[in-house]
Amino acid sequence: MNKVITINLGGNAYQLEEGGFDLLRNCLETAAARLQNNPDRDEILSDIESAIGEKFRALLASHKTVVVAREVTDVIASMGPIEGGAEAGDRPEPGGPGPSRAASPENTATPKRLYRIYDGAMVSGVCNGLGAYLNIDPTLVRLAFVLLTIFWGMGVLVYVIMAFVVPEARSPQEKAAASGLPGTAQEFIRRAKEGYYEAIKNFQNPRAHRRWGRWFGPGMRASAYQWRYHWGSCGMPPAPHYEPWMGFALPFLSILSGAVMIAWLCALISLLATGKVLGLALPPNVPIWVAALLLCIAYGILTGSLKTARCLFWWPRGVMGRPPAPVVLAEAFIWLLVVGVLFLLASHFFPQLHTAVQAVPSILNQAKDDIHAWWNTK
Amino acid sequence: MNVNEKFSGMRKGLLEFLVLQIIAAEKVYVADILKQLSATQFATQEGTLYPLLSKMRREGLLDYEWKESEAGPPRKYYKLTVKGREQLRDTLQYWTEINDTVKRLGQS
């Protein structure tokens, strides 16, 4: 059962499902925004309203008086993107966004910005926004965060920081800029398709619920563990009884783990950029993403043991592996800072890094397709 | 990049010419124009056509009149103005010249 809203299109009343009404209003608002500097704006908008009305009329009959949301989606899609921002000769607008009519949709793509997208978000839209920005499925981004949390415990921290730092996309223009697409009708449809309405539909479906539970349960448990691990030892007095050789071993272990990290990064970047691990070609039937995953696992195993050894030396016996929370947090922040600075420097001096980062979305998509195909063969 | 993508800019430029030609033949409304174009390489959608028609009307190339339809609200039927016909004639002329050039170059 859905609420119905009556609207006026070109002087005629139509009844729309509430979801469909929101879609249509979004579509028309976007069109109005895109035509802002067009001298024929009002005429074009009223023409488009009438055309949409006519298409709705064709869908209705005496026994069917309401246009459902899916039909609204189809009609908006059939209208195509609203072109015709102010033309170059008409009204020059200094630095304004209005793309010229002659340009193809690819060229009119608004510059991408990283936003949080709240429609269809699970928590605060960080993954959703990242997915839109990198042009990959937000579910994959969420999965990446969960994996990051399980293996390194960094995911939660990165997520919280991004939730505070990255702005939320509010206006239609910002939402369009979040995925770098022009604010077209189709963009709203895409968002509606994979976003909010889907989530609402699925919420009544216990199977989908369970599926989400399976999906996110491990992540939640992992973050709960991280939480206890970081904060649970607060106030516990450390047992500072060293043996001198441990103090000497500590810096070497740090240097070693740093070296392992640099080697891992180099291998990963060379793999993503050239398809070879530090000059060694992959066996022909191993896809790049499998190699990348193996590299990550190898790195996790290596650093895991190094980390344990460091913790062991740091807090010998008794409170093994439990430095107090401020130390862990400070370490994490410094680590993030160093990685960020290194990354900036590296992408400035090595164009390969840029290539590698750009290759990530397509490789993730490839992985998704491979897994999908494999799943279907079962 | 295939030919179809490569010449999307050219097709956009030519759309106005084709719309002039369609309207010159008979009074039409938007759905007619879309239908005639849909079978060709120039298939397009309302989102493109309405802004184009408004621009052409503002430039004085065409005009419209409201006509009652059998079912539903009245529709805008478009027709060419004198200026529109002149423009169509000039464009056709120009198009023929371009065609000749394309055929002639490299043939000698």
Side-chain angles (χ1 to χ4, degrees):
Chain A
M1 195 174 71
N2 279 315
K3 201 170 151 191
V4 166
I5 293 176
T6 306
I7 58 162
N8 171 3
L9 286 176
N12 284 271
Y14 297 90
Q15 292 182 307
L16 263 60
E17 274 186 357
E18 197 174 16
F21 169 76
D22 291 338
L23 281 175
L24 184 61
R25 195 183 52 189
N26 265 338
C27 160
L28 290 174
E29 275 174 6
T30 319
R34 295 207 83 207
L35 294 169
Q36 201 165 24
N37 294 309
N38 192 309
D40 306 316
R41 176 171 171 265
D42 295 340
E43 189 188 5
I44 297 172
L45 284 178
S46 84
D47 281 345
I48 285 171
E49 281 190 13
S50 308
I52 291 175
E54 199 157 316
K55 290 186 183 214
F56 285 166
R57 180 175 296 274
L59 294 168
L60 299 175
S62 55
H63 58 275
K64 181 183 186 305
T65 56
V66 174
V67 184
V68 299
R70 188 178 42 76
E71 291 169 335
V72 176
T73 311
D74 292 344
V75 166
I76 294 175
S78 78
M79 301 292 292
I82 309 298
E83 296 179 26
E87 286 131 64
D90 279 346
R91 270 186 221 177
E93 31 164 359
S100 84
R101 208 196 79 248
S104 67
E106 290 78 34
N107 298 340
T108 61
T110 37
K112 269 191 187 187
R113 275 213 57 187
L114 185 58
Y115 282 109
R116 288 183 292 122
I117 301 174
Y118 210 76
D119 300 345
M122 299 300 290
V123 184
S124 73
V126 168
C127 295
N128 220 5
L130 258 180
Y133 186 75
L134 298 173
N135 203 12
I136 50 181
D137 195 326
T139 309
L140 282 178
V141 184
R142 289 184 190 124
L143 195 65
F145 265 100
V146 171
L147 286 177
L148 211 61
T149 307
I150 294 172
F151 283 122
W152 293 282
M154 273 295 146
V156 177
L157 193 66
V158 175
Y159 190 95
V160 170
I161 290 174
M162 284 182 79
F164 279 107
V165 173
V166 178
E168 186 191 336
R170 290 216 172 80
S171 71
Q173 284 88 344
E174 283 174 348
K175 285 177 186 173
S179 43
L181 288 168
T184 62
Q186 272 143 351
E187 166 56 11
F188 282 98
I189 291 156
R190 188 193 66 74
R191 203 167 289 148
K193 265 185 186 158
E194 54 190 51
Y196 187 61
Y197 301 106
E198 213 53 36
I200 284 186
K201 244 191 296 175
N202 280 344
F203 251 73
Q204 287 150 0
N205 177 349
R207 259 187 59 216
H209 238 150
R210 276 203 297 280
R211 205 169 61 227
W212 281 114
R214 272 208 297 283
W215 216 208
F216 279 91
M220 295 299 173
R221 274 199 291 283
S223 54
Y225 170 75
Q226 287 289 334
W227 198 248
R228 278 204 304 277
Y229 178 82
H230 283 168
W231 296 102
S233 55
C234 268
M236 185 184 279
H241 93 97
Y242 266 143
E243 290 178 35
W245 61 272
M246 288 175 175
F248 285 116
L250 208 53
F252 289 109
L253 281 175
S254 301
I255 291 169
L256 194 59
S257 58
V260 169
M261 186 173 89
I262 289 169
W264 171 68
L265 278 177
C266 288
L268 202 62
I269 288 166
S270 73
L271 175 69
L272 294 181
T274 63
K276 291 176 183 169
V277 182
L278 303 172
L280 294 171
L282 296 174
N285 49 356
V286 176
I288 287 181
W289 62 271
V290 171
L293 206 65
L294 286 176
L295 264 180
C296 290
I297 292 172
Y299 174 74
I301 292 170
L302 260 178
T303 48
S305 47
L306 277 174
K307 213 168 160 185
T308 319
R310 270 172 71 206
C311 288
L312 212 110
F313 289 170
W314 207 326
W315 306 113
R317 283 175 289 278
V319 279
M320 185 177 86
R322 281 200 184 179
V327 173
V328 173
L329 265 185
E331 243 200 350
F333 271 111
I334 293 168
W335 188 85
L336 263 186
L337 209 71
V338 170
V339 168
V341 171
L342 272 180
F343 185 80
L344 277 180
L345 281 177
S347 60
H348 190 256
F349 289 110
F350 303 106
Q352 293 96 317
L353 184 68
H354 199 67
T355 330
V357 173
Q358 276 181 330
V360 167
S362 65
I363 286 168
L364 282 181
N365 275 330
Q366 174 70 37
K368 192 184 75 178
D369 292 344
D370 282 0
I371 292 171
H372 201 76
W374 170 77
W375 186 259
N376 283 343
T377 54
K378 280 191 16 160
Chain B
M1 188 186 247
N2 63 24
V3 179
N4 200 39
E5 279 173 45
K6 198 165 199 167
F7 290 111
S8 71
M10 189 190 77
R11 282 201 308 280
K12 275 187 189 227
L14 280 176
L15 195 57
E16 179 174 328
F17 173 32
L18 294 182
V19 168
L20 278 176
Q21 224 171 355
I22 291 172
I23 298 178
E26 55 177 336
K27 279 183 195 170
V28 285
Y29 87 112
V30 168
D32 295 331
I33 304 178
L34 288 173
K35 202 171 149 200
Q36 288 197 36
L37 288 175
S38 68
T40 70
Q41 306 91 320
F42 292 86
T44 185
Q45 290 169 303
E46 281 96 335
T48 310
L49 197 53
Y50 276 118
L52 178 63
L53 286 171
S54 293
K55 190 200 79 160
M56 289 165 75
R57 194 182 73 86
R58 185 159 38 84
E59 291 169 353
L61 300 178
L62 42 86
D63 202 2
Y64 63 80
E65 55 190 69
W66 291 100
K67 269 196 183 175
E68 295 295 329
S69 61
E70 315 88 62
R75 294 164 171 170
K76 274 180 182 175
Y77 275 79
Y78 290 90
K79 60 180 181 188
L80 288 196
T81 59
V82 177
K83 194 178 165 195
R85 287 190 188 282
E86 280 169 13
Q87 168 115 9
L88 177 58
R89 208 182 48 226
D90 294 348
T91 318
L92 269 174
Q93 171 84 31
Y94 186 59
W95 179 247
T96 320
E97 287 168 22
I98 287 181
N99 242 339
D100 290 346
T101 312
V102 171
K103 281 183 189 150
R104 199 181 59 244
L105 278 181
Q107 293 293 313
S108 51

